[in-house]
Amino acid sequence: MTAPILSLKELVVRFGGLVALNGFSMDVAPGSIHALIGPNGAGKSTVFNAISHFYATSAGEIFFEGRPITSVRPHQLARLGIARTFQNIELCAQLTVLDNVLIGMMSRIPGYFYFGPGTARKGVERGAIREAERVLEEGGLDQYRDVPAGDLDFGHQKRLDLLRAVACKPRLLLLDEPAAGLRNREIAALDHMLIDLARRTGVTILLVEHVMQLVMSIADRITVLNQGRRIAEGTPREVRNDPGVIEAYLGKNAHVAG
């Protein structure tokens, strides 16, 4: 049996008297697309913030590729091979689309630094720029190469946010609600993009998502979280037919026969 690329063991996260995660455990298989779902306030983003070390854990362990990373500093995670996006887009609006992707490559580009608009490419080798251009081409944003990121529409900004994380060349990519606010055709395009990314690069994707259209289409495995605890885990079909999941989150109309 293949060892998990990410393993969470009995995680506890407290905010004063509030227990946001209560003994939460989960394994993510390498090369898979694994979804984390649940009602609002279930603790999904808390899981991501615990992995990213934005939140301190009160108990439990986090392992990446068999290595304990519970005490690793947040800024070191990218070099270990972990990248993420956030619910709220945080692009450098005045910089071009290309420069935003280059910023995503900072952890592995020697000599790269940024001191304000117009200086982002100073010290960047031409090879790095070509690599960033390939990321844009593969992500369908190459035509916007020199457009300020703030001038893109919302759907394209979401895609750029994802491509900036992809530019880190992570082995584990954490996506926090990548389909939020997207239209149906944009969700369909994201569906194809994530499947292609996983197959082409071998990256493992862990995503938090409320858009079940996307989750049920692309996920190899789904973990369901409610009130800080795991209440179910399995394939999309298994999760859709789990009585506890239907009651807590999906609703009776989500049941699938068979």
Side-chain angles (χ1 to χ4, degrees):
M1 183 176 179
T2 305
I5 187 171
L6 178 72
S7 187
L8 311 181
K9 302 294 186 184
E10 297 293 327
L11 287 189
V12 177
V13 176
R14 293 189 180 95
F15 302 104
L18 174 66
V19 181
L21 291 180
N22 193 358
F24 179 73
S25 297
M26 177 179 67
D27 288 337
V28 178
S32 68
I33 299 178
H34 195 125
L36 181 61
I37 67 172
N40 287 328
K44 304 181 300 297
S45 291
T46 300
V47 172
F48 268 30
N49 287 331
I51 296 170
S52 305
H53 301 336
F54 288 103
Y55 292 165
T57 55
S58 302
E61 290 287 340
I62 304 171
F63 297 87
F64 176 63
E65 296 181 329
R67 169 185 175 177
I69 62 167
T70 312
S71 300
V72 171
R73 293 184 178 183
H75 70 274
Q76 297 173 316
L77 293 175
R79 292 181 180 177
L80 290 179
I82 301 174
R84 71 166 291 181
T85 63
F86 295 83
Q87 290 182 27
N88 298 320
I89 303 173
E90 296 290 348
L91 297 172
C92 297
Q94 293 180 318
L95 294 182
T96 67
V97 167
L98 177 65
D99 284 333
N100 271 269
V101 172
L102 285 168
I103 286 173
M105 299 164 63
M106 283 180 66
S107 65
R108 56 188 186 82
I109 300 179
Y112 181 86
F113 57 89
Y114 169 64
F115 290 121
T119 69
R121 297 179 201 170
K122 187 173 182 180
V124 179
E125 296 181 357
R126 180 60 196 168
I129 294 176
R130 285 196 296 268
E131 183 179 341
E133 290 171 337
R134 283 196 299 272
V135 170
L136 290 176
E137 183 177 2
E138 291 167 353
L141 289 184
D142 49 309
Q143 62 182 310
Y144 302 104
R145 177 190 188 278
D146 297 315
V147 175
D151 290 350
L152 298 178
D153 63 30
F154 180 77
H156 286 116
Q157 287 189 6
K158 290 278 283 189
R159 179 165 290 220
L160 177 57
D161 191 40
L162 171 58
L163 293 181
R164 183 174 57 183
V166 169
C168 294
K169 286 191 174 179
R171 295 187 295 284
L172 175 64
L173 180 58
L174 310 176
L175 303 180
D176 198 348
E177 298 194 28
L182 298 184
R183 294 167 289 188
N184 285 338
R185 62 179 178 82
E186 293 171 329
I187 293 172
L190 178 64
D191 180 316
H192 295 304
M193 180 180 178
L194 293 180
I195 291 175
D196 175 70
L197 177 67
R199 290 176 177 172
R200 179 167 44 81
T201 68
V203 66
T204 303
I205 297 174
L206 175 61
L207 73 152
V208 166
E209 188 52 76
H210 284 290
V211 179
M212 290 299 101
Q213 169 191 342
L214 179 69
V215 170
M216 296 299 175
S217 174
I218 71 173
D220 300 303
R221 197 162 185 83
I222 300 172
T223 298
V224 188
L225 185 65
N226 190 31
Q227 296 181 346
R229 293 182 178 272
R230 186 179 70 181
I231 63 170
E233 186 171 289
T235 65
R237 178 171 290 274
E238 290 169 341
V239 166
R240 281 184 300 209
N241 288 311
D242 187 293
V245 177
I246 293 171
E247 180 181 356
Y249 183 51
L250 295 179
K252 63 181 181 179
N253 293 330
H255 181 76
V256 178

